[in-house]
Amino acid sequence: MSTAIVDFAGYQFEPDRACLICDHVFDNTKQVFQVAHDADGWIQFFCDQRDHKSDETKVASLSELLQRHPYLGGVPIVHSNQYATRQPDGSWVVRAF
């Protein structure tokens, strides 16, 4: 049985790739504002709230997140140790940590 590979932010992942997601994005109460690609390989998705605590996050699969938030298909290449921030016009700006 083959699984479809997910293309996201310049990389290919298994669809069940675990990602860290803030509660607001997970609950669909806010959209993703920032996507981070940590040095350890974790991909993190956060809304525009700046003070998330560790207990305000969930782990979900990348494919589930992309189905729930299809606009994330427009995220540019985000290398390890970089993050992308969504601008008011919907474009993304990538920066190093």
Side-chain angles (χ1 to χ4, degrees):
M1 172 195 231
S2 66
T3 57
I5 297 298
V6 175
D7 289 314
F8 178 73
Y11 292 87
Q12 293 186 330
F13 299 102
E14 294 294 325
D16 61 352
R17 170 66 179 249
C19 300
L20 190 64
I21 304 165
C22 80
D23 284 347
H24 306 109
V25 171
F26 186 84
D27 296 337
N28 285 327
T29 58
K30 291 190 174 186
Q31 290 192 344
V32 174
F33 175 74
Q34 192 171 78
V35 176
H37 189 174
D38 288 346
D40 60 6
W42 275 96
I43 302 172
Q44 301 179 20
F45 298 87
F46 293 99
C47 67
D48 57 353
Q49 182 176 317
R50 298 270 185 223
D51 58 349
H52 290 98
K53 295 174 179 56
S54 61
D55 65 346
E56 295 177 323
T57 58
K58 304 256 190 293
V59 175
S61 73
L62 180 59
S63 61
E64 176 186 0
L65 182 69
L66 295 177
Q67 287 173 351
R68 294 169 74 182
H69 299 277
Y71 59 90
L72 291 173
V75 172
I77 295 173
V78 181
H79 296 293
S80 181
N81 288 322
Q82 290 185 332
Y83 65 97
T85 305
R86 191 160 51 101
Q87 304 302 297
D89 66 359
S91 65
W92 294 86
V93 174
V94 178
R95 296 181 176 96
F97 287 131

